[in-house]
Amino acid sequence: MKVTVKANANIALTKYWGKKDDKLKTPWNSNTSITLDGLETITTVEFDQKYTCDIFILDDKEYLEGTDEFKEVKEQIDIIRNKSNKKEFAKVVSKNNFPTAAGFASSASGLAALTYAGCKAAELNLSTKELTILARMGSGSASRSLIDGFAIWHAGETSEESFASQIAPKEHWPEFRILGCVISKKQKKTKSRAGMAQSVKTSPIFKVWYETAESDANKMVELIKEKNFNEIGKLAQANCILMHACAMTTNPTIMYWQPGTLEVIHKVLELQDEGKEIYFTIDGGPQVKIICQEKDVVEFKEILNSLESVQEVIVCKPGTGPRVINEHLF
Ligand code: 2P0
C-alpha cells in the first residue's frame, strides 16, 4: 500500500538544544512551538516485495547507503518495520517546498511526514501521542510537527513520558504570524544534532540554558493560552538569544548568525524601540523568523524586504498537523 502525507515544519517559540539521553533521544528541557502552514514536506512511502533494498529520494536526488540522509530514513523505517512486523523493503520519496537544511526545520516536517506515512503504509495504528514518541526517535523537533497549532514537547524522564501534545489548536489564534526571512540558502556548516551534543559537553552555560528553557516552556504554555502576544514575543526572543549564547560558547564555537542575521536583528530592535509589536527568533541557521500579528504583516514585510541581506520573506500562518493526500510522488 502506497501512502502519501503532507506535514508542516514548525518553529520553536522556546527551544530544544541538547539531549539528556542520546539513545532515547530525550531532551534536557521541554520546548514549545507553532506548526507553520506552507513550509511543507510531502512524502510517499511504500513497503513492497518488489524492492530489493530501501530506497530514499529527496527533492529528485537519490541518497544511497553511506549518506547521513539515507541513514536517518533507514533508522526510522527500521523502527516502523520492527513495530509492525513488516519484512519488506521500503521506497520513500520526499519533496520539500523550502530550502533544505538552511535553518528552516526540514528535518521536523520530513521526519513527521515519514513517521506518519510509514506507520500508515505499515498498517500500524498508533495514537497521536505514540506517533510523537516515534517521530522524536527520528528527529526531536519532528514530534512537534505532528501537532496542529501550538505544541509542547514534554521533556519527560522516560521514553513514554517524552512526547508532544497540543497547547491550543490553530483556530485559537488565526492572526498569529511568522515571517521567515531567507538570508542564505546555503546548507549550514554545523548540523543541529552534532552541534547540540557538543554544547552539552562543552558549553559553560549549558546548565543555565536548560534550567531557564524548562521554566520558559512552562511560562510559554500559559502565555499562549492567554494570547498574550507581547509577552510571548519577548520570551521567545530571550529564549532564542540564550540558546545561541549556549551554541556560541560551545567548543568549537557554533556561530549560526551571518552578517545578514544581525542586520535583521538590529532592525527588529529598532522597531521595538518605536513601540512596534515585532520580535525575532532564530534556529540552527542564519535565517531570522519574525513573530508578529496579521495586522502588521504588510508593513513589516515591506521593511524586511528593503533590507539588503533579505532575499525573500515567507509569510506563515498557524498550520495543521500531518494529513494523508491522494497525489503520490511515484
Ligand atoms: C528547535 N532545533 O527547538 C531547535 C532550535 C534547532 C535549534 O530542534 O538531533 O533536527 O534530530 O533531534 O530536531 C533542531 O534539532 O535534532 C532543533 P535531532 P533536530 O527547533
Side-chain angles (χ1 to χ4, degrees):
M1 184 174 52
K2 228 181 248 185
V3 177
T4 302
V5 166
K6 203 185 243 193
N8 282 313
N10 70 79
I11 176 88
L13 294 171
T14 60
K15 312 287 183 193
Y16 149 54
W17 190 256
K19 289 179 189 67
K20 197 167 190 177
D21 187 318
D22 277 326
K23 227 172 125 202
L24 292 178
K25 311 244 177 72
T26 50
W28 273 94
N29 58 272
S30 305
N31 45 89
T32 58
S33 65
I34 175 165
T35 300
L36 301 175
D37 186 41
L39 290 181
E40 59 198 24
T41 303
I42 297 176
T43 298
T44 302
V45 180
E46 181 180 44
F47 292 93
D48 199 287
Q49 286 170 346
K50 68 185 174 217
Y51 302 122
T52 54
C53 61
D54 289 323
I55 301 164
F56 176 49
I57 298 166
L58 170 63
D59 290 334
D60 301 320
K61 179 177 169 189
E62 180 165 5
Y63 288 88
L64 299 173
E65 201 148 1
T67 59
D68 287 350
E69 290 82 357
F70 182 86
K71 188 167 169 262
E72 207 169 84
V73 170
K74 186 175 164 36
E75 281 175 3
Q76 198 66 358
I77 289 291
D78 280 342
I79 294 175
I80 294 168
R81 254 193 299 252
N82 282 339
K83 259 191 169 305
S84 64
N85 292 321
K86 274 256 168 227
K87 302 274 177 284
E88 296 91 346
F89 287 110
K91 180 171 178 178
V92 176
V93 178
S94 248
K95 262 190 191 305
N96 287 328
N97 75 343
F98 54 95
T100 301
F104 287 110
S106 58
S107 70
S109 53
L111 266 295
L114 174 64
T115 304
Y116 200 88
C119 287
K120 288 241 179 285
E123 290 161 287
L124 198 56
N125 278 321
L126 300 180
S127 66
T128 301
K129 179 178 170 179
E130 289 169 317
L131 282 167
T132 71
I133 291 169
L134 215 61
R136 184 202 80 224
M137 300 299 290
S139 187
S141 53
S143 62
R144 301 185 312 232
S145 271
L146 284 160
I147 306 295
D148 175 276
F150 297 84
I152 176 165
W153 169 16
H154 309 273
E157 287 296 330
T158 63
S159 186
E160 287 69 34
E161 286 169 4
S162 191
F163 65 95
S165 65
Q166 189 177 68
I167 302 168
K170 68 185 174 71
E171 291 77 19
H172 172 67
W173 207 341
E175 304 82 17
F176 198 94
R177 291 289 179 279
I178 297 289
L179 309 183
C181 300
V182 180
I183 305 291
S184 162
K185 288 186 183 170
K186 273 198 304 215
Q187 298 249 330
K188 62 193 174 190
K189 198 173 132 212
T190 312
K191 292 213 167 153
S192 303
R193 186 167 295 184
M196 66 174 82
Q198 202 59 18
S199 292
V200 174
K201 279 196 253 167
T202 67
S203 169
I205 65 163
F206 189 73
K207 188 165 185 276
V208 174
W209 153 250
Y210 77 76
E211 285 177 353
T212 309
E214 181 65 34
S215 118
D216 287 352
N218 294 322
K219 279 185 211 155
M220 188 58 84
V221 170
E222 295 314 312
L223 294 172
I224 289 168
K225 286 182 183 161
E226 290 164 16
K227 294 176 73 170
N228 189 336
F229 180 77
N230 286 301
E231 290 306 313
I232 288 172
K234 283 181 210 165
L235 183 61
Q237 188 172 302
N239 179 275
C240 154
I241 293 170
L242 192 58
M243 187 211 100
H244 283 271
C246 184
M248 288 176 201
T249 51
T250 295
N251 185 13
T253 291
I254 302 165
M255 177 60 73
Y256 286 122
W257 298 0
Q258 294 292 333
T261 312
L262 279 163
E263 188 188 7
V264 180
I265 289 175
H266 282 289
K267 179 50 81 180
V268 172
L269 296 177
E270 205 180 294
L271 292 166
Q272 285 174 3
D273 285 345
E274 291 169 18
K276 306 272 190 211
E277 298 182 308
I278 184 168
Y279 302 91
F280 67 83
T281 188
I282 303 157
D283 286 327
Q287 331 301 351
V288 184
K289 285 89 169 191
I290 302 296
I291 302 166
C292 66
Q293 298 161 93
E294 186 185 19
K295 66 180 175 65
D296 297 319
V297 167
V298 173
E299 180 192 354
F300 293 164
K301 206 180 159 194
E302 198 183 322
I303 295 170
L304 294 163
N305 268 323
S306 73
L307 300 179
E308 204 181 321
S309 32
V310 174
Q311 297 177 3
E312 195 184 342
V313 178
I314 304 169
V315 181
C316 304
K317 299 177 189 179
T320 56
R323 56 252 177 249
V324 173
I325 59 170
N326 293 326
E327 303 82 44
H328 301 303
L329 294 179
F330 64 92

